[in-house]
Amino acid sequence: MNGKNVARIAGGVAVVAALGAAGWFGFLEWSRTRVRAEVDAAFAGIRQTGARAAFADATFNPREMGITVTGISVISPDGGARVKVDRLSARGGERPVDRRVTLEALDLDGVEITVTGDSAAGGTITYSLPQVMIDRYNGPMTLIAAGEGDGPYGALRVALRQLAATTAAKVTVPEARVQIAPAGAPQAELAYRNFAAEGVNAGAIRSMVVDRVTYAFTPPATGADQPAGTGAAQGDAAKPAAPGRVTGQVDGLVAAQVDTAPLLLMTQPGGPAGKAAEAYGRLYGKLVTGPYSVKQENGPSHGAAALLVENLAIRPAAFDVSRLAALDALGRKAPNLSPEDNRRLTELSRDLVNGIAFGTIAITRATSEFQGETGRIASLRLEGLTGGVLDGFTLEGVEGVTPGAGTGKMARFAVRQLDFNQLARLSAEADSPSPLTALLVFKAFSGIEMKGLEVPHGEGPAPTETVKVGTFALSWGGSLGALPSYLDFTLDGVSGPIRPEDGEPFNTLAAAGFSRATVSMALKAHYDINDRRLTLAPVSTEVKDAFRVNLESTLEDVPDTVFADPSGILTALPGVAAGPVKLTITDLGMTRLVLSQLAAADGVSVDAYREELVSLAEGIAAELSTASPEIAPVGSAVVAFLRDPGTLTITATPKGRVPALALALSSDPSVLLEAFTLSATATKP
């Protein structure tokens, strides 16, 4: 190829390049004009709703098929909500259809949302998001649902409406800050770091992650807060002290199966209504946090290693604006509430609890500290709340230390079937209780359990000496009305220091050198509606190293109306019959201790004193047997028990139908002998 041809080809390429460049820049200029016109049209549509909307510039990048809009400002018709965006960048977009756009990526820089008026409780709420990145966005062209920003829930409704109209593969917010400045109250702050949500679809979010959440606020003063050096002594009325500022931090939060539809329904104008508003709507399938802490200036501090919430739901109708406002007003008046205020506060609190449901709430390794007192809880769990009834509440691994170095421990504490509706009734009747008020306790919960309790006794020469409870358990159920048809009570391994005022048998133990005593008790009662029989078995008491007493008995012909209506007990009692009774006494060392002390007082040996006591018992038994031959087996068994203490069992079997009321009212022992056949056995230890 010669030089001339090369020159021609080079010249041709130059011409083509020049023409191409001219066409490219011409296209760019056309796109800016077209894009600005499109954006102008979009903002004009916003202004048609009564809102004010403006932007500074709009450009088009043909390489990325991207649009950039700067200096965005949108103000709601009532001026209560303002949105500012320094820069909006949309890439990979398609032409809007029905005022909706589809984009491969949507980035926003310098986002600031300000809410004032009713939506901010008369103050101002400001949201600052330096950067927002959205992948595969599909949603409305407008940044605010115009006309929806009125009322106390207005700002929230705007955001929820926007979210309900949006889908996105992922939303990333490296940082978000919220400043809340209520009217006449200190400012509160809330901040999120590295927020990411995936699978955003019409108000639902498949998963959500936040690296860190921090917050700070000052709680409102109440009548319970009193400043130092004020009060009647200074001649001035006591004034509420300014509470200390509260700060908190959560390191790591993960949520799955998030649905904002119940919240949107809660915010609907005029209040939530309809069947959906009365039904529970799930907000979270699962929410888990990492370590969190809460600290109040000059106040307590709390923290935990983790929090778990499963299947959290709300009933939107329970969160009516007027109800929440009334609850807040009463809370600010507390504790200086009138009886009527107390009743109203109880009702509102009950309604709020009824409006919440969840599967599980669990807190792991919780800690607290205040004024030298520290506490730790290995695990706290609440299971199954719905309709105001909690299936179970459990604490495990509880420890506490007082400023005086007293230490308390509890291995486990549990409550079953806690009914907040019945607790509200019980609280409402507290000021003017009726004879049946106490029976509401049987409906408020169905059982309580406590294990491994150790607390300082706090009295005597050794105040740090502990009282221990191995097991305390009380449960009931099978209610036929006002009263349960079964009851199970256990108190096992209760030990503590012996004091002079404790009486017998503890004085005998103390005299024998014991400094502590251990007591156990049990009671079980069960009603069989078919046999009309109430069984009490066992009713037992045991004092370690002393004795054990066990009673088993039944009552026959007991009508179920006794449980349905306690006022009918007196009417039913004359028809109730006594059943068999079995009494078992087991010596665990008490006889030896008593004989040793009595023998020492008389200056004789224990064996000699025992023989003297046995001889006396044999004489009494012989006299009673002569008068009542049927009692002879009982006398023989008692003598055998005294000679070699082990277990003494006495059984009373009715000879016929024995009216229980007449037997209880009689003070004549011969009535017992006439009505029952007695038998007894004594076994060696």
Side-chain angles (χ1 to χ4, degrees):
M1 184 177 295
N2 59 35
K4 186 175 182 179
N5 288 334
V6 171
R8 288 177 178 176
I9 293 173
V13 171
V15 171
V16 171
L19 291 174
W24 178 261
F25 287 111
F27 175 72
L28 283 179
E29 186 61 34
W30 175 86
S31 296
R32 285 194 192 94
T33 303
R34 185 66 176 270
V35 165
R36 188 173 183 91
E38 292 284 353
V39 175
D40 270 331
F43 275 69
I46 298 175
R47 288 190 290 270
Q48 288 176 0
T49 67
R52 285 169 284 173
F55 68 98
D57 194 14
T59 60
F60 176 72
N61 186 334
R63 290 181 179 177
E64 296 183 349
M65 294 298 291
I67 298 173
T68 299
V69 184
T70 60
I72 297 172
S73 174
V74 180
I75 303 175
S76 65
D78 66 349
R82 300 167 178 257
V83 178
K84 292 173 59 180
V85 181
D86 291 343
R87 181 176 179 273
L88 180 153
S89 177
R91 301 185 302 278
E94 300 175 4
R95 184 178 179 82
V97 177
D98 295 330
R99 299 187 62 78
R100 293 181 64 85
V101 294
T102 300
L103 305 167
E104 280 299 311
L106 175 63
D107 296 342
L108 300 96
D109 296 332
V111 179
E112 184 175 289
I113 304 170
T114 304
V115 181
T116 59
D118 290 342
S119 296
T124 301
I125 302 176
T126 303
Y127 304 84
S128 300
L129 299 87
Q131 189 177 20
V132 179
M133 296 169 285
I134 307 174
D135 296 338
R136 296 198 293 279
Y137 170 87
N138 179 278
M141 294 174 62
T142 57
L143 296 175
I144 188 169
E148 296 289 352
D150 300 330
Y153 281 144
L156 178 60
R157 182 168 176 78
V158 165
L160 294 174
R161 282 288 300 272
Q162 192 80 20
L163 183 61
T166 300
T167 63
K170 186 175 182 179
V171 178
T172 303
V173 181
E175 182 183 4
R177 298 184 299 273
V178 184
Q179 293 182 332
I180 305 171
Q187 179 173 288
E189 292 92 25
L190 178 66
Y192 299 88
R193 193 179 72 182
N194 293 335
F195 168 91
E198 295 187 353
V200 179
N201 184 14
I205 303 172
R206 184 175 65 248
S207 65
M208 188 170 65
V209 178
V210 184
D211 278 359
R212 175 171 291 178
V213 181
T214 59
Y215 57 89
F217 68 94
T218 302
T222 68
D225 301 310
Q226 299 295 331
T230 63
Q234 285 72 35
D236 297 324
K239 299 179 181 179
R245 193 157 179 80
V246 176
T247 58
Q249 178 172 306
V250 181
D251 290 323
L253 182 151
V254 179
Q257 300 173 346
V258 182
D259 192 348
T260 62
L263 292 177
L264 180 58
L265 181 59
M266 182 185 78
T267 66
Q268 70 182 18
K275 291 183 178 179
E278 296 294 342
Y280 288 107
R282 191 174 70 174
L283 298 179
Y284 296 101
K286 191 171 187 177
L287 184 147
V288 181
T289 77
Y292 68 84
S293 61
V294 183
K295 170 67 177 177
Q296 184 174 17
E297 294 177 358
N298 302 317
S301 62
H302 307 280
L307 166 69
L308 166 69
V309 180
E310 293 181 321
N311 295 319
L312 176 66
I314 64 168
R315 190 165 55 83
F319 292 85
D320 178 80
V321 172
S322 60
R323 179 182 287 113
L324 294 181
L327 187 63
D328 179 67
L330 289 171
R332 292 175 182 274
K333 290 174 62 177
N336 302 317
L337 299 177
S338 66
E340 181 57 35
D341 284 340
N342 270 317
R343 281 191 291 271
R344 182 58 178 155
L345 180 60
T346 299
E347 292 172 357
L348 292 170
S349 301
R350 176 202 62 202
D351 293 344
L352 198 62
V353 172
N354 276 327
I356 301 172
F358 57 78
T360 301
I361 294 180
I363 299 176
T364 304
R365 298 201 302 275
T367 61
S368 65
E369 189 277 329
F370 183 55
Q371 295 182 348
E373 296 184 356
T374 62
R376 293 188 296 274
I377 299 174
S379 172
L380 181 154
R381 292 184 69 88
L382 293 88
E383 302 283 358
L385 175 68
T386 183
V389 180
L390 183 69
D391 287 343
F393 166 69
T394 306
L395 291 173
E396 293 185 338
V398 180
E399 296 183 13
V401 179
T402 66
T407 301
K409 298 180 180 179
M410 183 167 55
R412 174 181 169 84
F413 176 81
V415 177
R416 294 196 297 274
Q417 288 291 320
L418 183 62
D419 191 332
F420 292 98
N421 301 296
Q422 299 300 331
L423 285 177
R425 288 184 58 193
L426 189 61
S427 176
E429 295 187 18
D431 293 331
S432 54
S434 70
L436 301 181
T437 297
L439 299 180
L440 290 174
V441 173
F442 289 115
K443 294 183 177 295
F445 60 100
S446 64
I448 185 171
E449 179 186 45
M450 184 168 54
K451 288 187 175 182
L453 176 68
E454 296 183 23
V455 294
H457 186 264
E459 296 179 3
T464 59
E465 193 170 8
T466 59
V467 173
K468 300 181 180 180
V469 178
T471 299
F472 170 84
L474 177 62
S475 62
W476 54 80
S479 178
L480 299 175
L483 291 172
S485 60
Y486 81 83
L487 184 144
D488 191 344
F489 167 71
T490 299
L491 185 61
D492 183 64
V494 180
S495 67
I498 297 175
R499 298 288 181 256
E501 62 272 16
D502 291 340
E504 293 295 351
F506 306 105
N507 289 349
T508 298
L509 291 173
F514 289 87
S515 60
R516 296 177 64 88
T518 301
V519 179
S520 298
M521 291 185 281
L523 185 153
K524 290 186 179 181
H526 172 71
Y527 177 69
D528 189 320
I529 192 172
N530 296 317
D531 294 337
R532 291 163 47 97
R533 178 184 295 122
L534 177 63
T535 302
L536 300 172
V539 180
S540 65
T541 299
E542 176 183 318
V543 179
K544 187 180 179 181
D545 298 317
F547 60 82
R548 181 189 307 117
V549 178
N550 188 83
L551 176 69
E552 299 177 16
S553 65
T554 61
L555 293 174
E556 310 288 345
D557 300 328
V558 179
D560 57 6
T561 55
V562 168
F563 301 92
D565 182 10
S567 61
I569 292 179
L570 295 178
T571 304
L573 273 178
V576 176
V581 179
K582 182 179 179 180
L583 176 66
T584 302
I585 302 173
T586 301
D587 180 71
L588 301 176
M590 190 67 181
T591 303
R592 176 181 55 81
L593 294 176
V594 172
L595 290 177
S596 296
Q597 293 175 25
L598 293 176
D602 283 359
V604 299
S605 68
V606 173
D607 290 340
Y609 196 92
R610 184 194 304 275
E611 288 301 321
E612 182 179 346
L613 181 63
V614 169
S615 297
L616 178 62
E618 287 177 335
I620 296 174
E623 292 179 3
L624 292 176
S625 297
T626 301
S628 303
E630 290 184 354
I631 206 173
V634 177
S636 299
V638 171
V639 170
F641 177 79
L642 291 175
R643 181 175 285 113
D644 196 357
T647 299
L648 174 65
T649 302
I650 302 174
T651 303
T653 304
K655 296 178 180 178
R657 191 177 188 284
V658 180
L661 182 60
L663 183 66
L665 294 177
S666 175
S667 59
D668 185 356
S670 64
V671 173
L672 180 64
L673 297 176
E674 292 173 359
F676 290 88
T677 298
L678 302 180
S679 62
T681 60
T683 58
K684 296 182 179 181

